[in-house]
Amino acid sequence: MSDSAISLGLSGAPAEHGRSTWEETTMPRLQDVKDEVIHLRSAGVDLGKRFLLACVRVPSPKRTGSWSLETERFGTTTAEVRRLLAWLLERRVEAVVMEATSDYWHGVYYLLQPHLNLMLVNPAHLKGIRGRKTDPSDAAFLARAGASGMVMASFVPDRDIRELRDLTRRRTELVRAAGWEAQRLEKELEDTGMKVSAVLSDITGASGRAILEALVHGERDQARLADLTRGRARNKIPALIDALDGEFTDHHAFMVRHYLDEIDRWKSLIAAFDARIAHLLADHARDMEVLQTIPGIGRLGSEIIIAETGGDMAQFASAHHLASWIGVCPGQNESAGVSKSGRTRPGNANLKRLLGVAAMVAIRNKDSYLGVFFRRLAARRGGKRALVAVMHKLVIAIWHVLHDHEPYRDLGADHFTRRDPERAMRRMLKEANSLGLTIRFDPIPA
């Protein structure tokens, strides 16, 4: 232990013999300090999209020097924020602190600020700011590695596939841009105090679009607006009436009209790209058909797979080579007989993103091979590793259906039981014994 550690650990102990006066005056010492309390009754508000939590901190009436905390949950509709205001005023809070979380703070702040000492703070100032880092240049190393034959050439598709790649990747960007406009539209609604997005899952759908169009044209009656919903959304009319309680001005109407027009413009561009991509993929109809038999892969997914891989599996020696190229196989880092981090390596980000979505769709079917495989592996290794393993299985299926031009055949939920029936019996016997029971396996007569 160092001298400083000794000095810090022995409060008030005399200095060791031989230590200079300079060391005694400069070494840190333990001191008793008291926190300066500015507000005896304060509150903190943690914001979310559908609800918020408020906590009041007041001096404890039972023990001097201690504090009592009272936490309450509120909704984010205008009526619930008014209830929060009454709750805070009843407890005579002197200061209320809330973070600037996205744009969800607008409606809450506008209602509380005239009546309370409200402080809106930057979340980065509370959680700390991470430093920036830069990666060194490796051009010289790559030149040396290429000259010595340490690297191999990458897969570069033909011109028609490259053009198809440009179209599919740009379409992905257009879909993102349309999604961003929808998010900006949602933020604009947050500024009005309306919580439509907390009730309707898609504010740009048929029901949400009808409500927004009516708002732009001057309709403000909450019941009439909620009655514009269609289909299953009509079951949410009571909640939607409360969510439509807000202040929708002419400025909001202008901005909402602008965002709706932008969303329509992006959708028209996406439709044009869809037609162009379908024209270029006319010769890959069979490959798209067999790809769509894989769980989680639809029309858009099959188009992206063919655009990224070219549809010709002769470029990849095996399914595992394709998995390594995409970046969904475990990494290998072993030294001195010890296996270190096995994180997946960077690969084709477009396919990796697609496979992640497809894997989450595939595991929803609990009566399929992939669903059972995910649950078996997630119990031992965790959900994230199991999801990457399912992505690896999907890549293997993609390679085989494109290589053999045959549709995907599911192995079935009982694949592992059929492959090793004795292991399944041992597992069932172990579970029965843990419950204090015993079982016997007899063959069923023919």
Side-chain angles (χ1 to χ4, degrees):
M1 184 178 295
S2 63
D3 292 340
S4 60
I6 295 176
S7 176
L8 287 172
L10 300 175
S11 177
E16 295 180 359
H17 295 290
R19 182 172 293 177
S20 64
T21 305
W22 178 85
E23 292 178 352
E24 294 177 2
T25 56
T26 57
M27 292 300 294
R29 293 178 300 173
L30 289 179
Q31 298 179 3
D32 294 331
V33 297
K34 294 183 179 180
D35 292 333
E36 183 179 2
V37 179
I38 300 177
H39 301 289
L40 290 177
R41 310 178 71 87
S42 61
V45 179
D46 181 44
L47 293 172
K49 180 177 181 179
R50 293 178 175 84
F51 66 92
L52 57 86
L53 292 175
C55 179
V56 173
R57 181 180 185 267
V58 298
S60 176
K62 298 181 180 179
R63 184 178 179 182
T64 305
S66 60
W67 304 87
S68 296
L69 302 179
E70 183 181 2
T71 305
E72 183 73 16
R73 174 171 171 163
F74 299 86
T76 53
T77 60
T78 304
E80 283 288 291
V81 177
R82 292 194 186 104
R83 187 168 71 90
L84 168 65
L85 174 60
W87 188 76
L88 293 173
L89 291 176
E90 181 183 356
R91 283 145 184 81
R92 306 189 310 276
V93 295
E94 301 171 5
V96 181
V97 180
M98 57 187 295
E99 291 184 357
T101 305
S102 183
D103 287 89
Y104 303 143
W105 60 269
H106 287 180
V108 180
Y109 184 86
Y110 295 156
L111 275 176
L112 299 185
Q113 194 272 335
H115 308 281
L116 296 169
N117 179 19
L118 191 59
M119 294 181 290
L120 186 69
V121 299
N122 190 337
H125 295 166
L126 299 179
K127 298 180 181 179
I129 303 175
R130 292 185 177 182
R132 295 178 177 269
K133 68 180 187 69
T134 58
D135 295 329
S137 175
D138 56 354
F141 170 77
L142 291 176
R144 189 176 109 189
S148 59
M150 296 173 58
V151 293
M152 295 184 297
S154 299
F155 165 60
V156 179
D158 297 332
R159 176 180 294 274
D160 56 343
I161 298 299
R162 295 200 303 270
E163 294 176 353
L164 186 60
R165 272 188 181 181
D166 290 341
L167 292 171
T168 55
R169 292 180 179 181
R170 179 55 183 168
R171 181 181 60 184
T172 301
E173 295 174 354
L174 294 176
V175 172
R176 287 182 182 177
W180 290 337
E181 294 297 336
Q183 291 176 358
R184 296 186 181 101
L185 173 61
E186 180 180 351
K187 290 180 180 180
E188 192 66 32
L189 292 178
E190 292 289 341
D191 193 70
T192 67
M194 296 181 177
K195 312 300 293 187
V196 181
S197 60
V199 180
L200 299 178
S201 58
D202 184 11
I203 59 175
T204 60
S207 298
R209 188 66 181 253
I211 293 174
L212 294 177
E213 291 286 352
L215 284 170
V216 170
H217 287 87
E219 181 62 58
R220 297 294 182 268
D221 186 82
Q222 298 167 218
R224 294 179 181 176
L225 290 172
D227 191 56
L228 296 174
T229 54
R230 307 172 186 175
R232 291 184 297 178
R234 297 192 63 82
N235 299 330
K236 304 177 181 179
I237 288 180
L240 195 56
I241 293 176
D242 294 336
L244 287 169
D245 185 6
E247 184 179 0
F248 195 90
T249 64
D250 293 339
H251 169 72
H252 295 133
F254 178 84
M255 295 301 297
V256 168
R257 176 77 273 164
H258 165 69
Y259 289 130
L260 290 176
D261 292 341
E262 284 295 297
I263 292 173
D264 292 340
R265 183 173 68 87
W266 289 118
K267 287 184 177 180
S268 64
L269 290 175
I270 293 171
F273 272 75
D274 286 340
R276 177 64 177 173
I277 292 171
H279 174 71
L280 295 181
L281 286 174
D283 297 335
H284 296 270
R286 175 58 183 172
D287 292 338
M288 292 183 58
E289 181 181 349
V290 296
L291 281 173
Q292 294 180 47
T293 60
I294 301 175
I297 303 296
R299 180 184 63 85
L300 296 180
S302 62
E303 292 175 351
I304 294 175
I305 291 172
I306 295 177
E308 297 295 332
T309 64
D312 184 10
M313 293 298 103
Q315 301 290 342
F316 307 98
S318 66
H320 299 289
H321 284 76
L322 177 61
S324 178
W325 179 73
I326 297 176
V328 293
C329 63
Q332 188 174 8
N333 185 7
E334 182 180 344
S335 179
V338 178
S339 295
K340 300 181 181 180
S341 174
R343 295 181 178 178
T344 57
R345 296 177 298 175
N348 190 302
N350 300 282
L351 281 178
K352 191 180 292 188
R353 186 188 311 111
L354 169 67
L355 291 172
V357 176
M360 288 187 289
V361 174
I363 62 179
R364 291 181 181 177
N365 186 2
K366 298 182 179 180
D367 296 329
S368 65
Y369 164 75
L370 293 177
V372 174
F373 172 76
F374 172 80
R375 293 195 301 274
R376 284 167 59 96
L377 191 58
R380 295 186 291 108
R381 303 301 303 276
K384 293 183 179 179
R385 286 188 174 92
L387 189 66
V388 175
V390 174
M391 295 166 61
H392 186 268
K393 292 287 186 182
L394 290 175
V395 173
I396 294 176
I398 290 172
W399 188 90
H400 282 286
V401 298
L402 289 179
H403 182 269
D404 302 332
H405 302 284
E406 295 291 337
Y408 171 82
R409 294 188 298 272
D410 192 278
L411 296 178
D414 60 343
H415 169 73
F416 296 102
T417 302
R418 290 185 285 102
R419 188 182 65 177
D420 193 353
E422 294 183 359
R423 181 179 179 182
M425 289 188 292
R426 288 195 302 268
R427 184 174 64 254
M428 288 184 286
L429 183 61
K430 183 178 179 180
E431 293 178 356
N433 292 340
S434 65
L435 297 175
L437 304 173
T438 182
I439 56 177
R440 185 180 64 184
F441 299 99
D442 295 328
I444 300 176

